[in-house]
Amino acid sequence: MRWVPLRLKNLRLPLVSALAAAVISGCGFQLRGTSPVPAALQPLAVDCPNALPARFCESVREQLSLGGIDLQPKDSANYVLTLRDYSQDRRASAITAQASAAEYILRHSVSIELLTADKIPLIAATDLTASETYRYDETNVLAKQREEEELQQQLGDRLAQQVIFRLVPMTQERIDAALEAHSATQKPTESP
């Protein structure tokens, strides 16, 4: 009868792992980096012109792909996510007694819009902004330049995440309601 406890012992780890996986998935846990974008927005095109940073555009597309969104060219997509007016700004936010910058604020912004293939707006043009402050040290210029470059990349990625989070509420019910509201405003008014 010694084999029964050994079998149970061997099953303990897989059983506990399966139970933990069930509990985690049941509470809505989602791995970081996966997109919570609803499947109702499929297929989706991302209109990101060459004037925008390529890394930003790729970050948006990658996050959508990780979330299982089917990305297509504009002519074969049901929805188009338009990204425009990307800007980067760097301003001194604190000055030393010698009138040199002691702290900078970096700000990235982009304008987004979500349209159906028929150009019906689901999300009107909206500006999104991400910012970060960092201390500047004149005695360590190279390290601070590297820090600024890393922060610039992080801000672009953070802005891409904001774009994705703006798409989260676009369930099929919300899309249908927006389409109904649009068609109601497009009907000609009858005059007596």
Side-chain angles (χ1 to χ4, degrees):
M1 285 300 225
R2 192 152 193 345
W3 61 272
V4 172
L6 286 176
R7 264 198 174 160
L8 289 176
K9 207 175 210 181
N10 291 341
L11 289 175
R12 188 180 318 162
L13 183 62
L15 196 58
V16 169
S17 298
L19 183 60
V23 168
I24 287 174
S25 65
C27 72
F29 174 80
Q30 199 168 22
L31 288 175
R32 186 176 185 171
T34 59
S35 171
V37 177
L41 289 176
Q42 297 205 48
L44 177 71
V46 178
D47 180 15
C48 196
N50 292 336
L52 274 66
R55 180 180 164 94
F56 169 74
C57 296
E58 283 307 310
S59 183
V60 170
R61 287 185 181 105
E62 182 179 309
Q63 289 184 40
L64 288 166
S65 293
L66 282 173
I69 299 299
D70 179 24
L71 297 177
Q72 295 289 325
K74 281 173 69 171
D75 57 349
S76 60
N78 292 341
Y79 305 97
V80 179
L81 173 63
T82 305
L83 306 170
R84 297 277 186 269
D85 304 325
Y86 192 95
S87 66
Q88 299 177 5
D89 187 30
R90 175 182 181 245
R91 294 184 184 180
S93 61
I95 306 295
T96 65
Q98 293 78 26
S100 61
E103 193 173 83
Y104 283 100
I105 185 165
L106 303 173
R107 182 174 289 126
H108 288 214
S109 62
V110 70
S111 178
I112 70 163
E113 186 175 27
L114 180 65
L115 304 171
T116 65
D118 300 327
K119 303 217 185 287
I120 299 170
L122 298 177
I123 297 177
T126 304
D127 293 331
L128 303 177
T129 303
S131 61
E132 187 72 48
T133 303
Y134 75 99
R135 296 180 87 46
Y136 186 75
D137 182 6
E138 290 180 346
T139 62
N140 202 357
V141 175
L142 289 177
K144 287 301 175 177
Q145 284 177 340
R146 274 189 241 116
E147 180 183 359
E148 181 178 337
E149 289 170 5
E150 288 176 18
L151 285 174
Q152 297 280 14
Q153 290 177 356
Q154 290 173 10
L155 285 173
D157 291 343
R158 200 178 308 162
L159 203 54
Q161 288 175 345
Q162 285 187 35
V163 170
I164 302 304
F165 290 136
R166 286 298 174 126
L167 300 178
V168 170
M170 298 313 299
T171 60
Q172 190 61 53
E173 293 80 22
R174 243 174 143 182
I175 292 170
D176 292 342
L179 294 175
E180 285 177 30
H182 179 75
S183 66
T185 61
Q186 299 302 311
K187 289 183 181 177
T189 56
E190 295 179 21
S191 47

